[in-house]
Amino acid sequence: MDYKEKIKERIEGHCLITFGKKSKYCSNKEKYIAVVKSLMEDIVPKWNDSLNKYDGKKKAYYFSAEFLMGRALSNNLINMNWQSDIRDILKEYKIDYNNIEESEDDAGLGNGGLGRLAACFLDSAATLNYPLMGYGLRYEYGIFKQKFADGFQIEGPDNWLEFGDSWSIRKSMDKVVVSFADGDVLAVPYDTPVIGYGGNTINTLRLWKSEAINSFNLEEFNRQNYDLSVKDKNDAENISKVLYPNDSKEEGKILRLKQQYFFVSASLQDLVKKHLEKYDSLENFHQLHGIQLNDTHPTVAIPELMRILTEEYKMDWDKSWDIVVKTFAYTNHTILQEALEQWPVRLYKVILPNVYRKIEEINSKLIDELEEKAIVDDIRDYKIIDDNNIKMAYLAIYGTHSINGVAQVHSDILTERELNNWYKLYPERFNNKTNGITQRRWLLKSNPELSEFITELLGTDNWITELDELKKLEKYKDDRDVLERFLDIKQEKKNQLAEYIKEHEGIEIDPYSIFDIQIKRLHEYKRQLLNALQILDLYYRIKENPNLDIVNKTFILGGKAAPGYERAKGIIKYINEIKDLINNDKDINGKIKMVFVTNYGVSYGEKLFSAADISEQISTAGKEASGTGNMKFMLNGTPTIGTLDGANIEIVEEAGENNNFIFGLQVEDIERIKNTYDPKKYYENVDGLKRVVDTLVDGTFSDGGTGIFKELYNSILKGANWHSPDQYYLMKDFDSYRKAQERVNEAYIDRSAWAKKCWTNMANAGKFSSDRTIEQYAKEIWDIENC
């Protein structure tokens, strides 16, 4: 039997066994599951063989609260070089591949850049044949499915596991017990293959599900206490129930703390157990394991490994600490000290008393070390436990051998300002690892049309694993025929996006307008509100002057606000109010349109990044650690309108400021004016600014009686008890931003010059591959070799 017939037979068999019916009667979702199960029959043996080649070698482990993986089917088929064959097989079998692909849910395992970075890193490590394993939580529900009601964000359950996950395998034999002060729970691992491009290496993402040790109490059930009979089951399963549960109340904080400890304790137990199956001592643990802490969420791993070594295996304290420091490395994603994660001592004492004692011991060791170095006066600037709080970033810095920022400006701010005292103490530990993205997902998969063109021009597809090859395309930047084909491809992607938006959002947009896109998590520092004010100002100017000379423009925004983040949710409501005003006004003759995409995620992002004309990266300078959305836009040939913040700075260094649109305050400007800044000066004197800001309070828009618009207005002009007025400098940067938008309009009119800007951005995106980042982690932090 040939391969095609074998796959057909498998699909038919899985449809019968799993759903009890022939494939022709199955839904697209059911066919998708049968296809995946058929593919896994070939993937699993290759996966096992791949893991065997790492025996006896040092491996790296990525501890992360999020892994925003996106859909797996097409990505895995591309990486295995099976996509063409599977498409042909399904076509012969009268199964529509595109329908199958669309039926796959995005895995609800992440929310923002932190989780997407983790996913890109896993892809790059497997592609480059590095032994990197991911460890995290198997959330039953994602953060939420976003909908809108009267412009307000509505959070619904993201039940991505409703039909199971055919890519993952439950490994019950590897389950472990995780202990809290109020009881023990089981951690059960589910393994998912991470397939590198070419299929030579398949690594593992291991995610832990929490389950009760005794899931059903028959005695209570027979007493007719039905709720009590399943209480242990419900309490245990809540730990891995939802990504980032709302923690505005004490119960939510406790659940988040349990989530953090649960997955790191289970992961460390797993590593220790497997290590001792091969070696009779843990003294060489650090020589075979390098663990990267992705931000501070998994930092409790440091005292937990100390507890395991000193209490369970009776190892000497100093020797244990040496192993811990040499094992762990920490990636910082947060610039501001006041935003660094802290936990109340009382919660640790109540939930994790044994771990807290280890943190106390670590803190005492730190104080002794500081006193030996004659650091006495400023000791509070270092203490891990202070003012009844545990400072997780300080614990991460003290308990690791490497601390890295994720863009050069971010790392510089950490060492020169925010963590300067720690940098002086341990200068050898600090380093920069500018983030990256995987070109397999963000170009090869999401933009096959452009990918094929690149391969044609280069005469090779080496760029798929060596993104620096794109630099060779720069020689075509003045080639009219090449640029014309490039613009045709961009138009094709814009047409596809316009159709998708019409189908999913019910909004018809002009595919020949400028697609101005800002898609990212909703946060004040990312300044979606600045974008909204600029759009509203443009609307008013068009109303005053219907003949205003602008290229038609479609503003596309998207992103989720955390359930407890009222201001961010208020900004979404405000944007939707502006959207309704503009889109329902026929007098502006379609010159501008607005879309706020629903439930933005990886799969939606693949369509948005490839179709964008302009990339909105307008965070307050010094607030965005890196950003990776900016890199995805750049890779697809999209110029940036943005501040000199995060990785924008390095993007401009690579592609040239003349090929992007930079505006606004820089980090040093903010340092200079922050103590004297008065937003009212700009609010009252910048033409048109007062008019748009006042719409928050003058009745132009309704906030449904919530008062959130008034609160947003006050946050700008009056501040609050926790921050000064306009802490993100919207008023100061507004006019500069508006002028940058005018420059975009002027540049877009000259199509050949515009194409050259876009092409130059794409050709200089090589630095921003996560392959480059992973090579640096592997050689400079983890000390692992590719196999």
Side-chain angles (χ1 to χ4, degrees), residues 651-668:
I651 285 174
V652 168
E653 287 173 354
E654 295 296 307
E657 190 163 342
N658 60 316
N659 293 309
N660 293 281
F661 303 88
I662 300 302
F663 72 92
L665 293 166
Q666 299 183 31
V667 173
E668 55 269 27

Side-chain angles (χ1 to χ4, degrees), residues 758-775:
C758 297
W759 188 263
T760 303
N761 270 279
M762 181 192 68
N764 287 281
K767 173 180 178 177
F768 303 106
S769 171
S770 50
D771 296 354
R772 183 265 312 154
T773 318
I774 281 296
E775 287 279 11

Side-chain angles (χ1 to χ4, degrees), residues 236-435:
E237 292 180 0
N238 279 342
I239 293 172
S240 59
K241 182 70 72 176
V242 177
L243 168 67
Y244 292 155
N246 188 350
D247 63 353
S248 59
K249 296 181 180 179
E250 185 89 340
E251 293 82 359
K253 289 181 173 63
I254 290 172
L255 183 55
R256 282 217 190 186
L257 178 56
K258 284 191 169 185
Q259 283 187 336
Q260 290 184 3
Y261 180 71
F262 170 79
F263 99 78
V264 301
S265 176
S267 303
L268 288 172
Q269 288 185 62
D270 192 42
L271 294 178
V272 167
K273 176 186 173 185
K274 287 177 176 163
H275 181 87
L276 290 175
E277 287 173 356
K278 294 185 177 181
Y279 306 94
D280 59 6
S281 169
L282 289 168
E283 292 189 11
N284 63 338
F285 186 81
H286 61 285
Q287 295 170 1
L288 293 158
H289 303 84
I291 300 174
Q292 192 72 33
L293 306 176
N294 191 25
D295 215 355
T296 49
H297 309 115
T299 302
V300 67
I302 292 168
E304 171 66 359
L305 184 55
M306 278 299 292
R307 185 194 65 78
I308 291 171
L309 294 176
T310 58
E311 295 185 6
E312 294 188 12
Y313 294 95
K314 309 304 179 187
M315 192 178 290
D316 169 79
W317 207 99
D318 288 335
K319 185 177 289 184
S320 298
W321 184 245
D322 183 60
I323 291 170
V324 165
V325 171
K326 288 177 178 176
T327 297
F328 288 110
Y330 160 53
T331 298
N332 175 286
H333 291 274
T334 308
I335 290 175
L336 296 181
Q337 277 216 19
E338 59 266 28
L340 295 173
E341 185 180 15
Q342 297 186 51
W343 281 100
V345 165
R346 59 185 166 77
L347 290 186
Y348 260 77
K349 282 184 173 180
V350 170
I351 304 300
L352 302 170
N354 294 338
V355 175
Y356 178 68
R357 282 194 291 273
K358 288 299 158 193
I359 296 175
E360 283 187 312
E361 292 174 17
I362 293 168
N363 191 50
S364 295
K365 177 179 171 60
L366 169 62
I367 291 170
D368 289 344
E369 186 177 328
L370 293 172
E371 289 174 348
E372 287 175 12
K373 295 177 182 287
I375 300 173
V376 179
D377 294 339
D378 301 324
I379 207 161
R380 281 197 67 182
D381 294 338
Y382 298 88
K383 289 172 69 175
I384 295 166
I385 302 172
D386 186 49
D387 196 24
N388 293 314
N389 281 309
I390 304 167
K391 298 186 175 184
M392 304 308 286
Y394 291 4
L395 177 59
I397 294 167
Y398 186 52
T400 64
H401 66 276
S402 169
I403 302 100
N404 71 278
V406 290
Q408 192 59 58
V409 67
H410 170 221
S411 298
D412 291 344
I413 289 171
L414 293 180
T415 57
E416 294 170 9
R417 191 178 74 196
E418 299 301 320
L419 298 174
N420 179 254
N421 57 323
W422 284 100
Y423 173 68
K424 289 177 179 176
L425 191 62
Y426 300 120
E428 73 285 354
R429 295 188 182 185
F430 284 81
N431 60 92
N432 176 62
K433 298 288 175 282
T434 296
N435 282 343

